[in-house]
């Protein structure tokens, strides 16, 4: 029991494991230690939720719109390239 | 042959200008965003993207259908960016050093939260929506350090798998994980600060 307590994670260590945890890249032992910590730590649970939100939202970041002139310029270049 | 990516590439091989136009409309924004993370200036990024399209049109890199068209375009672009010259290319360092995900001052001496994360909210919602967050992340992307931005962009924004990102950027699995972790942590921290709660 003493051994187990000594190996329990603190929050400062837990946040370093969140990204790999979300990606399923943690070793089984680290995953179990993190999940045990999360079960008793609402702050780290919130932190993990925010990391998940960052990832979900990143997948919705749209590139800047292409100005019509830029498209026309590239198509004009295409004509030159295909003739050259 | 339709407007799916492979069909467009086949039409482009036959000299179809319309197919080129559709491909540019579909991918120019993503290519420019990636190029801007790889080289030091917007002007060079635009040149790199233009050379990428030239490479596509001239068929210097043949598309064999083993990777997606998008990955193929990204690969041409990364090669063009590298050949833009060592001075311009933002290469990923081999030694990443140590950098905590959260500033040490946020924790007590025992390592528990002293200044815990605050729930993200705005006036309209209980929690910020993914759409609202996406807009903010788009604005904050350029503030990530170069190597973090490249990995975050390809993995979390573009959604490429780790193996493809490793190939594209020439970064080891271990370093890719470290950079992605730091990028996500940095982005979380920037959003927290932007909301004025910390």
């Amino acid at each position: 029991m003493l051994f187990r307590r000594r190996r329990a994670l603190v929050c400062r260590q837990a946040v370093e494991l969140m990204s790999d945890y979300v990606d399923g890249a943690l070793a089984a032992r680290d995953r179990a230690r993190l999940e045990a910590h999360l079960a008793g730590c609402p702050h780290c649970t919130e932190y993990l939720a925010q990391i998940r939100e960052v990832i979900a939202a990143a997948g919705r970041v749209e590139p800047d719109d292409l100005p019509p002139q830029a498209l026309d310029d590239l198509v004009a270049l295409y004509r030159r390239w295909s003739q050259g | 042959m339709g407007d799916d990516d492979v069909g467009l590439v086949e039409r482009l091989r036959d000299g179809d200008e319309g197919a080129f136009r559709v491909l540019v409309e579909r991918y120019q924004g993503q290519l420019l965003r990636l190029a801007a993370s790889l080289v030091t200036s917007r002007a060079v990024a635009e040149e790199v993207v233009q050379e990428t399209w030239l490479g596509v049109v001239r068929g210097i890199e043949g598309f064999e259908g083993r990777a997606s068209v998008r990955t193929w375009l990204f690969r041409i672009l990364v090669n063009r960016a590298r050949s833009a010259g060592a001075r311009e290319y933002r290469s990923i360092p081999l030694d990443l050093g140590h950098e905590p995900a959260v500033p040490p001052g946020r924790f007590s001496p025992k390592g528990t939260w002293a200044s815990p994360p605050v729930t993200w909210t705005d006036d309209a919602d209980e929690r910020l929506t993914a759409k609202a967050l996406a807009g903010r992340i788009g604005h904050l992307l350029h503030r990530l350090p170069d190597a973090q931005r490249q990995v975050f962009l390809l993995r979390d924004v573009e959604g490429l798998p780790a193996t493809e990102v490793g190939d594209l950027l020439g970064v080891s699995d271990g370093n890719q994980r470290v950079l992605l972790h730091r990028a996500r942590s940095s982005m979380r921290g920037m959003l927290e600060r932007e909301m004025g709660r910390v």
Side-chain angles (χ1 to χ4, degrees):
Chain A
M1 192 60 199
L2 182 65
F3 178 71
R4 187 176 286 181
R5 204 178 294 146
R6 194 164 50 203
R7 289 177 62 84
L9 291 174
V10 293
C11 307
R12 188 177 52 219
Q13 297 166 317
V15 296
E16 300 293 343
L17 301 178
M18 301 289 189
S19 179
D20 280 349
Y21 178 67
V22 170
D23 288 340
L26 277 186
R29 179 183 291 189
D30 285 338
R31 188 175 69 236
R33 291 170 76 209
L34 180 58
E35 286 175 348
H37 177 85
L38 287 167
C41 183
H43 298 323
C44 284
T45 301
E46 173 61 28
Y47 185 96
L48 175 62
Q50 291 181 358
I51 292 291
R52 288 191 195 281
E53 286 176 38
V54 165
I55 296 166
R60 296 173 186 231
V61 176
E62 296 288 337
D64 292 341
D65 286 337
L66 179 61
Q69 187 60 45
L71 177 60
D72 290 343
D73 289 349
L74 274 166
V75 171
L77 278 172
Y78 171 80
R79 285 182 194 141
R80 286 205 340 242
W81 293 335
S82 32
Q83 287 159 10
Chain B
M1 290 187 289
D3 271 7
D4 67 281
D5 282 354
V6 175
L8 286 169
V9 170
E10 286 172 6
R11 284 168 52 195
L12 190 60
R13 278 199 185 116
D14 294 336
D16 184 335
E17 182 183 300
F20 180 77
R21 181 180 279 271
V22 176
L23 279 170
V24 169
E25 282 176 319
R26 194 169 290 174
Y27 289 113
Q28 176 75 2
Q30 291 176 50
L31 291 174
L32 201 49
R33 184 165 65 183
L34 177 58
S37 79
L38 295 170
V39 296
T40 52
S41 74
R42 176 79 182 187
V44 175
E46 288 178 358
E47 276 173 33
V48 164
V49 173
Q50 193 170 306
E51 285 175 19
T52 299
W53 289 118
L54 177 62
V56 169
V57 170
R58 298 231 165 126
I60 295 168
E61 277 94 352
F63 178 66
E64 296 173 4
R66 283 188 294 215
S68 69
V69 168
R70 185 175 60 149
T71 300
W72 173 61
L73 290 171
F74 284 177
R75 185 160 296 136
I76 298 172
L77 183 134
V78 171
N79 289 335
R80 290 292 180 278
R82 285 210 179 96
S83 56
R87 228 163 20 102
E88 304 287 356
Y89 188 70
R90 303 173 194 259
S91 59
I92 293 180
L94 286 175
D95 181 3
L96 300 175
H98 179 71
E99 183 184 305
V102 176
R106 299 282 301 270
F107 298 104
S108 73
K110 287 182 177 173
T112 56
W113 286 101
S115 167
V118 181
T119 308
W120 296 338
T121 59
D122 64 15
D123 295 339
D125 291 304
E126 282 291 302
R127 272 196 104 88
L128 274 180
T129 61
K131 192 179 172 193
L133 273 178
R136 294 183 180 191
I137 288 173
H139 282 107
L140 292 169
L141 263 179
H142 73 279
R143 286 169 53 183
L144 287 175
D146 296 341
Q148 289 181 27
R149 185 163 76 253
Q150 291 168 18
V151 172
F152 183 75
L153 189 57
L154 288 170
R155 287 287 301 280
D156 286 348
V157 177
E158 301 293 359
L160 293 189
T163 48
E164 283 188 16
V165 176
D167 283 349
L168 276 171
L169 298 179
V171 61
S172 70
D173 286 352
N175 278 2
Q176 184 181 155
R177 280 166 57 184
V178 168
L179 289 166
L180 187 57
H181 163 62
R182 287 186 189 167
R184 289 166 172 170
S185 306
S186 303
M187 190 56 81
R188 192 211 69 85
M190 284 194 285
L191 288 164
E192 195 177 41
R193 285 194 295 278
E194 201 190 49
M195 286 174 227
R197 304 298 173 96
V198 180

